[in-house]
Amino acid sequence: MNNGFYKDLDTNFEIAYELSEKDFSHNELIVMLKNGNIPQRQIAALKLDTLLNLEDAKILFSNLTGCDGKIREAVALKINQLLKNKTCLFDFFNFPEIFADATIDINGNICRLCIESATYLKDFKNFSNLYTEKIIKFSLEALQELDNFIFKDKKYVINKQLFKLYWCLEAIKYFYSYIEDKKLNEILTKASLQNEYTIREKVAEILNISKKFPDLYNNLQKDENYYVKFALLNH
């Protein structure tokens, strides 16, 4: 089984290398993104330099979730580049839910790229409302799961929810203005009680930037962790 795995890895690498050396038309890249294998979709995403219409955007975004990690990361990088360069901006308004799903990908690089990409669309209220609505849902789900855990639960199960909550808070750091104060206070208060200091650190960053909830801010000033207190002062 291991030999087969490494053989597939070598084969995919060779295919990806060969494809990277070739030139393709825009239509050929879109077809590869839609119907290709792992290396074909990966290289197609990296080589794509524009989107000509909404159908192109749909095909690109269909590869941001639910497929191999190498494809997802290449697509996340390409979306980020297109938005950063303000290429085909109008085609991205239609995918707030996919942006949100990718925000809690198991690959932290994808999470970070998708959050940064979403910030380029922050001023578009319909997008931001829908994106934030799903981030709130994910945050509350993670907090609920963490509340329900017992000592016997496996560490990786707990870490999965902490990872999910961490990236939701990172997104909230940029989109907090789209969250009603009562709901935001609920999320930040519950998150501030987590044992994992990186979660409390994210809460501190949000409080510092937003200037909201002074009582919660004051509580975190008493936190024993240096990074949490530092985050209250330097963002």
Side-chain angles (χ1 to χ4, degrees):
M1 184 173 181
N2 286 337
N3 288 338
F5 171 79
Y6 288 114
K7 183 178 179 181
D8 290 342
L9 209 60
D10 290 340
T11 300
N12 285 339
F13 178 81
E14 289 171 7
I15 294 172
Y17 179 78
E18 289 176 5
L19 291 170
S20 68
E21 295 292 300
K22 295 181 180 179
D23 291 325
F24 297 94
S25 69
H26 177 84
N27 287 340
E28 287 173 330
L29 292 173
I30 293 298
V31 169
M32 280 199 293
L33 264 176
K34 186 175 182 179
N35 301 316
N37 56 29
I38 292 172
Q40 287 173 332
R41 293 187 188 203
Q42 181 185 17
I43 295 301
L46 293 173
K47 282 182 169 286
L48 195 68
D49 58 7
T50 190
L51 300 173
L52 298 182
N53 49 53
L54 184 57
E55 185 60 28
D56 285 357
K58 287 179 179 178
I59 292 170
L60 180 63
F61 270 83
S62 71
N63 286 282
L64 186 56
T65 59
C67 58
D68 184 85
K70 290 186 288 294
I71 300 172
R72 301 197 313 275
E73 188 163 4
V75 170
L77 178 61
K78 179 53 57 177
I79 289 170
N80 186 269
Q81 290 172 345
L82 292 174
L83 281 170
K84 186 180 291 185
N85 297 329
K86 298 183 179 179
T87 305
C88 305
L89 191 63
F90 68 92
D91 281 324
F92 290 91
F93 300 159
N94 301 276
F95 309 100
E97 290 87 357
I98 298 178
F99 265 113
D101 289 338
T103 293
I104 57 168
D105 194 281
I106 61 172
N107 181 328
N109 288 333
I110 295 173
C111 302
R112 190 176 301 281
L113 283 166
C114 286
I115 292 170
E116 182 180 326
S117 296
T119 64
Y120 296 129
L121 301 172
K122 183 180 173 182
D123 291 337
F124 299 95
K125 291 184 178 180
N126 188 54
F127 170 88
S128 292
N129 282 326
L130 291 172
Y131 174 74
T132 308
E133 184 179 306
K134 203 160 187 181
I135 293 299
I136 293 170
K137 176 177 177 289
F138 291 152
S139 300
L140 293 173
E141 286 174 352
L143 287 164
Q144 183 64 45
E145 289 294 324
L146 289 166
D147 281 346
N148 291 338
F149 284 139
I150 59 176
F151 182 74
K152 291 182 180 179
D153 283 317
K154 294 182 185 295
K155 183 74 172 175
Y156 78 86
V157 177
I158 298 173
N159 286 343
K160 179 180 178 181
Q161 295 304 322
L162 288 172
F163 186 84
K164 178 178 177 179
L165 179 59
Y166 176 92
W167 288 109
C168 284
L169 291 171
E170 179 68 8
I172 289 172
K173 186 169 74 175
Y174 299 101
F175 287 85
Y176 66 86
S177 61
Y178 285 92
I179 304 176
E180 188 255 330
D181 275 0
K182 183 178 179 181
K183 186 65 67 178
L184 180 60
N185 191 308
E186 176 188 358
I187 292 170
L188 296 183
T189 299
K190 290 181 178 179
S192 72
L193 299 175
Q194 296 300 316
N195 290 330
E196 174 57 48
Y197 85 86
T198 58
I199 299 298
R200 304 197 308 278
E201 184 182 9
K202 283 295 162 194
V203 173
E205 290 177 10
I206 295 167
L207 291 172
N208 196 340
I209 292 169
S210 69
K211 309 304 180 187
K212 292 176 179 284
F213 317 126
D215 289 344
L216 187 53
Y217 182 98
N218 290 335
N219 286 340
L220 281 180
Q221 282 186 315
K222 304 169 190 174
D223 198 283
E224 294 181 357
N225 186 276
Y226 166 81
Y227 294 103
V228 175
K229 290 189 284 190
F230 187 77
L232 291 170
L233 302 173
N234 291 276
H235 284 271

